[in-house]
Amino acid sequence: MFNKTNETKVLRDPVHGYIHVKYQVIWDCINAKEFQRLHRIHQLGGDFQIYHTAEHSRFSHSLGVYEITRRMCEEVDAISATLSEYEKIQVLCAALLHDLGHGPFSHFFEILHKKHHEQMTCDLILDPETEIHQALIKEDESLPQNIVLILTHKHSKPLMYQMISSQLDADRMDYLLRDAYGAPVRCS
């Protein structure tokens, strides 16, 4: 059984309305310095120079992906019945942390750094010196490795990574909504 927060934490979000956090491990990951730095990383890199309202961050996007995944786990009966509580925690953490390794200017940073953000994300999760790793192992020693299995599409249960990265996934659902909100995109 995973530790729950003393009360459900609710964060206001312009795209999803509210983001709900009831597990302490999720709350601890949100408050870890490696996750907090995502406040300073623009979701759309330098596009805010053209679309001045596209100021949203990887922080808000990551919370949005978490919230969509949380709703899938709780509100889609087929998913809720298929996953154990431990599997739900794994996929919720993976959703929250999926962009942890992003640098400034979005994917352009990868060209300069010569390392993809996915690999940097896995490195941060597995590094015993990071606050993220510490928050995860405080709940379960194998949690960091299981999250990396999801993020690298190597988990034994494909549903776990398909919820976050596939043709119709929580990551895509959030960035399409969030980028359209911030850019803004007008549909007529």
Side-chain angles (χ1 to χ4, degrees):
M1 186 72 150
F2 281 85
N3 294 318
K4 294 193 175 172
T5 56
N6 57 348
E7 62 186 3
T8 299
K9 309 293 185 185
V10 181
L11 305 158
R12 184 74 172 105
D13 183 75
V15 174
H16 301 295
Y18 297 98
I19 294 171
H20 300 85
V21 178
K22 66 180 180 181
Y23 289 103
Q24 190 63 47
V25 66
I26 300 294
W27 192 244
D28 290 346
C29 285
I30 290 170
N31 288 300
K33 67 181 178 185
E34 296 86 11
F35 191 80
Q36 286 292 312
R37 69 174 268 286
L38 296 178
H39 275 294
R40 300 184 306 276
I41 307 296
H42 287 276
Q43 172 73 12
L44 295 177
D47 290 357
F48 69 94
Q49 298 290 341
I50 309 251
Y51 301 101
H52 67 276
T53 57
E55 292 277 349
H56 53 292
S57 67
R58 291 279 171 188
F59 181 88
S60 59
H61 166 64
S62 295
L63 286 173
V65 175
Y66 157 81
E67 180 61 15
I68 291 170
T69 304
R70 184 196 66 77
R71 292 189 65 196
M72 286 178 183
C73 288
E74 292 183 8
E75 297 172 15
V76 178
D77 293 337
I79 293 173
S80 183
T82 302
L83 301 178
S84 68
E85 182 186 33
Y86 184 61
E87 290 169 329
K88 289 175 186 174
I89 293 294
Q90 291 176 54
V91 77
L92 290 173
C93 288
L96 181 70
L97 303 176
H98 80 284
D99 272 352
L100 193 63
H102 263 290
F105 305 110
S106 195
H107 294 278
F108 180 70
F109 182 75
E110 295 174 356
I111 296 167
L112 298 174
H113 198 269
K114 296 185 177 21
K115 196 173 194 181
H116 290 283
H117 77 276
E118 294 92 349
Q119 183 58 53
M120 292 169 65
T121 295
C122 293
D123 291 349
L124 287 166
I125 291 169
L126 294 174
D127 182 348
E129 300 298 317
T130 63
E131 289 181 15
I132 287 290
H133 183 83
Q134 292 301 314
L136 296 171
I137 64 167
K138 186 168 73 174
E139 284 296 326
D140 181 83
E141 288 285 329
S142 62
L143 196 51
Q145 186 59 46
N146 288 326
I147 293 167
V148 168
L149 289 173
I150 293 169
L151 295 176
T152 57
H153 293 215
K154 294 177 182 169
H155 197 280
S156 61
K157 199 175 230 181
L159 174 63
M160 303 282 278
Y161 54 79
Q162 290 170 347
M163 291 170 66
I164 299 167
S165 178
S166 64
Q167 289 304 307
L168 183 60
D169 57 47
D171 183 25
R172 193 174 312 242
M173 286 183 220
D174 183 78
Y175 79 65
L176 288 173
L177 290 169
R178 196 167 301 279
D179 293 356
Y181 178 84
V185 174
R186 187 178 349 156
C187 300
S188 8

